[in-house]
Amino acid sequence: MSRKRILVTGGAGFLGSHLCERLLNDGHDVICLDNFFTGSKENVVHLINNPYFELVRHDVISPFFAEVDEIYNLACPASPIHYQYNPIKTVKTSVMGAINMLGLAKRVKAKILQASTSEVYGDPQVHPQTEEYWGHVNPIGLRSCYDEGKRCAETLFVNYRYQNNVRIKIIRIFNTYGPRMSINDGRVVSNFIMQALNNEDITVYGDGSQTRSFQYVDDLVEGMIRMMGTNDDITGPFNLGNPKEFTILDLAEKVIRLTGSKSKIVFKELPSDDPIQRQPRIDLAKQHLNNWEPTVQLEEGLTKTIEYFTKFKNK
């Protein structure tokens, strides 16, 4: 296998750091680009001494220049708390970031992968979600800065392919969890684990019957790398997620049991535009990505994630 020079934007984030680690382990030269808005040096500090790893503080809203073979475009706040903090910046990151990275890919003839999201489906009226579904998104809602930013990024990717023959890949990531998630990102897995470890009430919004499909980060990284390795005529978008569906209440009960917590479950009002169901069909990924599917079961993944979060207990 030839050593490739690979750029990962958002490389110091939760997903990006795991991807950087895997690419280095696979024998590649990795440039990790991050502005550290939600990413953290802590996530990649163990990689700093690797001679094939380069950490660069940079915001993808501004152009970046480097000679690379592949680009994984992951840069964007991905949790509601973070992407709603500065919604205009979120849109800029998705849209200008895509334009700048696609421009780089065009100039150096690199292959480029866009980390899109299941949020492009909004609050879906089709269940489970297939890639053919156009979505049900509120363009002026609280989540629209992220949803519409990612939708626009997909538009840019396909049009750079049509107009400039840029080699693109698009994946739509469904709920992913694992070590290095931010403890204050407001996502359900990190929320529940921290509340359980501190024996606080576990906050369930609505009646807890809304469903999510949770995939462990290692499964996602494997899918991303397989996607990048496909022929140029395979562009996606492909759903990458776990087709096994769990209710939020079921997740809360599992976390309480696995942590041995004394926490009680309390119910609060469901936030605006919060999807009721989210479950991927992954037939296309299985077909084109060498039978890719998640292999880490929820309890196994939660156990590894809880072990990581234990160091933040009572902080």
Side-chain angles (χ1 to χ4, degrees):
M1 184 201 71
S2 60
R3 181 182 295 278
K4 293 175 185 164
R5 195 151 190 241
I6 301 175
L7 173 65
V8 180
T9 74
F14 158 51
L15 298 180
S17 63
H18 284 276
L19 177 62
C20 287
E21 192 172 53
R22 169 66 187 272
L23 292 170
L24 288 166
N25 288 340
D26 286 352
H28 299 298
D29 194 336
V30 175
I31 303 174
C32 169
L33 208 67
D34 210 294
N35 69 349
F36 301 111
F37 173 56
T38 55
S40 166
K41 286 183 182 175
E42 288 292 316
N43 290 336
V44 292
V45 70
H46 62 296
L47 306 176
I48 295 290
N49 290 329
N50 187 318
Y52 297 104
F53 180 75
E54 188 177 345
L55 178 61
V56 181
R57 182 188 289 269
H58 184 85
D59 193 317
V60 293
I61 288 174
S62 301
F64 180 75
F65 303 95
E67 295 293 323
V68 294
D69 303 303
E70 295 177 352
I71 303 166
Y72 289 82
N73 187 38
L74 275 59
C76 191
S79 71
I81 284 177
H82 291 141
Y83 66 62
Q84 290 169 17
Y85 172 77
N86 188 340
I88 294 170
K89 174 84 169 175
T90 297
V91 176
K92 282 183 174 179
T93 301
S94 285
V95 177
M96 294 305 300
I99 290 170
N100 286 327
M101 288 304 123
L102 285 161
L104 175 60
K106 177 186 170 186
R107 281 192 298 276
V108 302
K109 296 182 167 49
K111 193 185 294 188
I112 181 168
L113 179 142
Q114 168 66 5
S116 192
T117 171
S118 60
E119 296 290 340
V120 300
Y121 300 121
D123 189 1
Q125 296 175 309
V126 169
H127 189 75
Q129 291 80 59
T130 67
E131 291 85 351
E132 289 76 28
Y133 178 52
W134 289 356
H136 179 229
V137 175
N138 176 1
I140 56 171
L142 282 174
R143 303 168 78 102
S144 62
C145 59
Y146 184 67
D147 302 359
E148 298 289 27
K150 289 287 192 177
R151 284 160 70 97
C152 185
E154 289 194 16
T155 304
L156 286 162
F157 265 69
V158 296
N159 283 290
Y160 264 79
R161 173 177 165 80
Y162 294 147
Q163 198 169 323
N164 300 310
N165 294 314
V166 174
R167 296 179 295 153
I168 66 158
K169 309 288 176 185
I170 302 171
I171 57 166
R172 291 175 178 163
I173 299 171
F174 282 68
N175 290 60
T176 305
Y177 70 98
R180 300 187 208 137
M181 292 181 82
S182 172
I183 63 170
N184 60 355
D185 65 7
R187 296 193 223 189
V188 65
V189 172
S190 48
N191 272 3
F192 285 3
I193 290 175
M194 288 310 299
Q195 288 169 339
L197 287 173
N198 292 325
N199 292 308
E200 298 167 354
D201 289 342
I202 287 188
T203 311
V204 170
Y205 294 97
D207 61 4
S209 64
Q210 65 270 39
T211 62
R212 295 291 184 273
S213 48
F214 301 101
Q215 75 175 327
Y216 190 66
V217 61
D218 290 356
D219 286 326
L220 172 62
V221 168
E222 176 65 29
M224 294 169 85
I225 288 171
R226 289 192 194 186
M227 183 66 176
M228 186 64 97
T230 56
N231 296 332
D232 289 352
D233 58 338
I234 296 172
T235 61
F238 293 162
N239 290 336
L240 292 186
N242 192 335
K244 291 184 180 173
E245 199 176 9
F246 296 91
T247 68
I248 297 298
L249 194 57
D250 187 27
L251 176 70
E253 289 165 349
K254 282 186 191 300
V255 168
I256 288 172
R257 180 166 52 78
L258 291 170
T259 53
S261 176
K262 299 182 176 67
S263 295
K264 294 181 173 58
I265 296 172
V266 297
F267 297 90
K268 294 194 174 179
E269 190 177 346
L270 199 65
S272 169
D273 293 331
D274 194 50
I276 300 302
Q277 288 182 309
R278 192 57 69 67
Q279 182 191 15
R281 282 284 295 272
I282 60 168
D283 303 45
L284 287 177
K286 288 174 84 166
Q287 178 185 343
H288 294 287
L289 306 183
N290 195 24
N291 286 319
W292 175 88
E293 62 181 326
T295 59
V296 179
Q297 300 303 314
L298 184 59
E299 293 209 3
E300 179 190 350
L302 283 175
T303 300
K304 292 178 180 178
T305 310
I306 288 164
E307 184 181 341
Y308 169 80
F309 274 86
T310 303
K311 63 184 177 183
F312 301 107
K313 188 176 175 182
N314 293 319
K315 284 193 180 180

